[in-house]
Every structure is written in C-alpha cells, then in structure tokens.
Amino acid sequence: MTVEGSAATVLVVDDSRTKRYLLVSWLTRAGFKTIEAENGAEALARVEIDPVDLVVLDVRLPDLSGFEVCERIKAALPAMPVIHVSAHAVDVVDRTQGLTRGADAYLAEPIEPEELVATAHAVLRYYQARQRAELLADRLSALADATVSMHAAPNFVRLLEAAAAGAAQIFKSPAAVIAETFEGDCLAGVAPAPGAKSSVVPWGVEDTGVPIGATVRIDDPGVWDLVDWPAGDTVTVAAARLREDRPPLYVVVPTHTQTVRTPVLVQLAQAVASAVEAQRSFDEEHRIAVTLQRSLLPRRLPEIGGLDLAVRYEPASARTEVGGDFYELVMLDGHLLMAIGDVAGHSLHAATVMAELRHAVRAYAVEGHQPGVILDRVNELMRTLLPNELATICVLLVHPSSGLVRLASAGHLPALVSVEGRAEFVQQPAPPLGVRAPRPPDLEFVLPAGATLVLYTDGLIERRDATIDEGMAALGAVASRVDDDLDRFCQRLLVELAPPEVQDDVAVVAVRRR
C-alpha cells in the first residue's frame, strides 16, 4: 500500500506504443509514477515484483485477453485496482464482462485525459480506504488478543512479555514496552520481531513531565536502544499514565508502522496501562496475603541436638487469598512436636481456621496428650465450633535420642522416610478432621540414624495432568536422595516437583536424625 501523501504507481499495459505513451503522459502530468508492460505475461510478472498501486489494462493484448489478465491479478492480489481501457469493445456485453471478471472501471476510447485521471483517483481512493479499514481491523483484532494475553499473565514479567509480543504482532515490527513494578523496578519487555520470543530486561526512563492520560511523541531510536530498530527510521513512543501517583508506561514501535493519529498505538498503551495497574494491585494484595499467612506460621525452627530441621513454604503464586496450609515444629517435654495440615479453601476464613487448628494442636500437646488424643480433641473442637469445615493433618512426636516416632493422621498424605537411597511412605488411612468416624491407633516406628522424615501438603505432588499416585511416585524418586544440606534438599523438592507457577500452597517439613 502506498504511504499516505506519496505518489501512487500505475502499471500501464498496452501493446500499442503510441497508446502507452499517451496514457503514461497523462498520468505522469497528473502526478502519478508509471511503469509499462506491452503484453499480459509481462504485466503479470510486473505486479509480482514491482510496487504497483493501480493497473491500467488494455482489453486486447497479443498473448492474453485483458479479461484473463485482470482475473489472474485479482486472484493473486484481490486489493489491486484495475481499470480496463479499450478501443474496440464498447458494447454493453463487453463492458459487463470486464466488470464481472474483476475490473473496477471500464473506459472506452476515445478516452479523455481528465476522465482517466479522475477515474484513477476515484478507484485509488476506494482501495486505499479499504486497505486502511482492513489494516485497522487486523490491528484491532490483534489488540484484542494481546489484551487477553496481558490480563491472563500470572505475573509482571509475563505481562510485559505478552505486551511486547502483542505490540510486535499488531504492527508487524520490533516493539518494546516499558513499565514499573509495584516494588519500583523499571523493566522493559522486548520483542525483536512478530512471532519471535519476547524477553524482559531492566531499563530506566526519565518520567519528568509525563501528564495523566495518553501522549504520543517521536524519538530518536538511540534513546530506546532496546532492539534493532529499522535503519533510517525514528520510533514512535506512546506514554500512558492512569493516575498522578502512578509512573507512566511506554510502548515503542517504528514510526513507519503508524497511521494518522496513531489510534491503535494509543489504545494499546491504554490497554497495557490497565493490565499493569491490575497486576500492581494484585502484587500488592499478594504481598499482604503472604505476609499475613507467614505471620500465622512458626517464625523460627528449634535447635535440637541430634536432629536437623528444614522447612519450605511456598504460597500459591496465582492467588491473592491466604490459604490453609500450615506446619508446626516445637520442643515439648523432651519431644519434638511435628505437625502439618491443610484446611480446605483459600480465603481469610481458611487462614483463620488454620490458625485455630495450629494453636489447638499446640495447646493439647502442651497438656501432654499423645498424637491420637490430640487429633480426637481437635476434631471435637472443629465439630463444635467449626461444624462446616474440613481439614487434613498429620501429628507426630519424635524422641530425638532414640528416634522413636509416634504418629497419628487425619486424612493427610502419608509421611515419607528416606534412608540409604530408599524412600518409603508411612501409611495410616484415617478420616479427615470434621468427620465423626473411628480412628486407628497411633502408629509407632523408629527413625534410624541417618534417615530423613518428610511431611508435605498436596500442592507439592498434585497436578492437573497426573494422578495422585503418579505424584507420590515422583516424590519417592526425588526424595530417595537426600542432600547433605537439608535446606537444599527441601528446595530441590520444590524445584523438581512443584510447577513453575504454583497453583496451590506448598508446605514441606524435613527432619533428619543424625
């Protein structure tokens, strides 16, 4: 498509040198650029390789009819306008055939120069308007796709990657999107080309004087040296700022991609600003939620002779709500009280129930009760005060010097013991808390010297694309080798088993007997 304001190029096709000369002369004087062809085959070759905007085509050609040439041009290039000219076919049938087979206008000789020029301008106006409308429609469709991708992004980095990739796809060019995170870090999403993988890099911008709303300016590419911009072109920068207390963000694309008033670029910048604001709010809420959740868990691990302890707690990255996963590690009367549990749901209420259960377990353990009695009393507490709640929990008392373990479970996933390269699960089927049903007696076993006991919640092993048995098998394989550093071991469990975007809270507790 011809850039707005530049002269259109017309291909004049006629086997008569004299007629070509006249047509070219008239069009050239009217401000058009012209190229010539003297037969149909040459005309078809020229439209494939030359930047043609309009074809003026004689009906009678020595090799192909003008009707056939027009049909072939329209089949390959539907948006290429064609004007038929003819000294012979002047009857209604031929005119009808020419228009039916794809021509946009039909002029019969004698042709007046003014009529030819006016017809050329009229046909070009229609096709240029059509091309602008089609370009706008394509860009708006790509903008809608980019907006969905940005709002579906699970974090700020993915959002910038989606925004940069969307901008590159919209404008079919390199693109960059720059925004500031909730923590104040300025990052740039960069897409080197449409369809290419985007990336995020640190980048600083001077924000002084950027007003509220959306503004557009032209900059030197060197100011935004984030990608290889097209040589000889400037960059167009759209800045969007939603509030006075928020930093602006920027969308940067090559200037040659822009049309008058840059409507799609402005809409893209506003869409990115909306997505960034939502992500900032999410990040702020998520940080508050995580801070609250961690405040309900033990702040430090006890130091116990003969035992190594390590924990990992990873809140769900895709949620702002606090969850119900919890753990406990505390020394009571010469025994280590270990507990891990999971209250159904993700909400402030679930976290409140979790805190009540944790404190109830501690209180009943301080009274000197064994794990099974602790669970019986906590279950009665839940059924009385929290009758609509369900939770799973595993409670253990470990004697550090002898390794004697006394365990009771309420529907929780089985503990795992790893020793000498083997991993075995400690099974004790039992109903969850909140259900009145018989419970099995406590399970007793000895944790051998050098063995590691692992407790965990379901976020570590559950996947949408795998069964629970497959998840447990994967845990057993990974936990068969225990790192010398127990903290590194817990971290490795998360890295190798948990998904990159944690969909559920994950708690892992590991105890190794020396």
Side-chain angles (χ1 to χ4, degrees), residues 143 146-147 150-151 159 240 242 249 265-277:
L143 173 62
T147 301
M150 288 186 290
H151 283 280
L159 189 159
L242 298 183
L249 62 85
L265 181 63
V266 170
Q267 290 183 56
L268 174 61
Q270 292 170 335
V272 176
S274 175
V276 165
E277 181 63 24

Side-chain angles (χ1 to χ4, degrees), residues 295-365:
S295 72
L296 300 175
L297 298 172
R299 297 191 177 185
R300 63 180 62 88
L301 299 182
E303 296 183 3
I304 306 169
L307 297 180
D308 296 323
L309 308 179
V311 299
R312 279 293 182 277
Y313 187 89
E314 194 68 31
S317 56
R319 302 177 184 269
T320 57
E321 303 97 332
V322 289
D325 287 19
F326 68 96
Y327 64 88
E328 182 63 81
L329 286 169
V330 63
M331 284 296 293
L332 295 174
D333 194 25
H335 288 76
L336 172 65
L337 172 68
M338 295 179 63
I340 194 162
D342 185 359
V343 176
H346 276 82
S347 64
L348 184 59
H349 178 69
T352 303
V353 174
M354 174 265 280
E356 290 188 55
L357 292 186
R358 175 175 170 247
H359 290 306
V361 168
R362 289 164 62 99
Y364 292 131

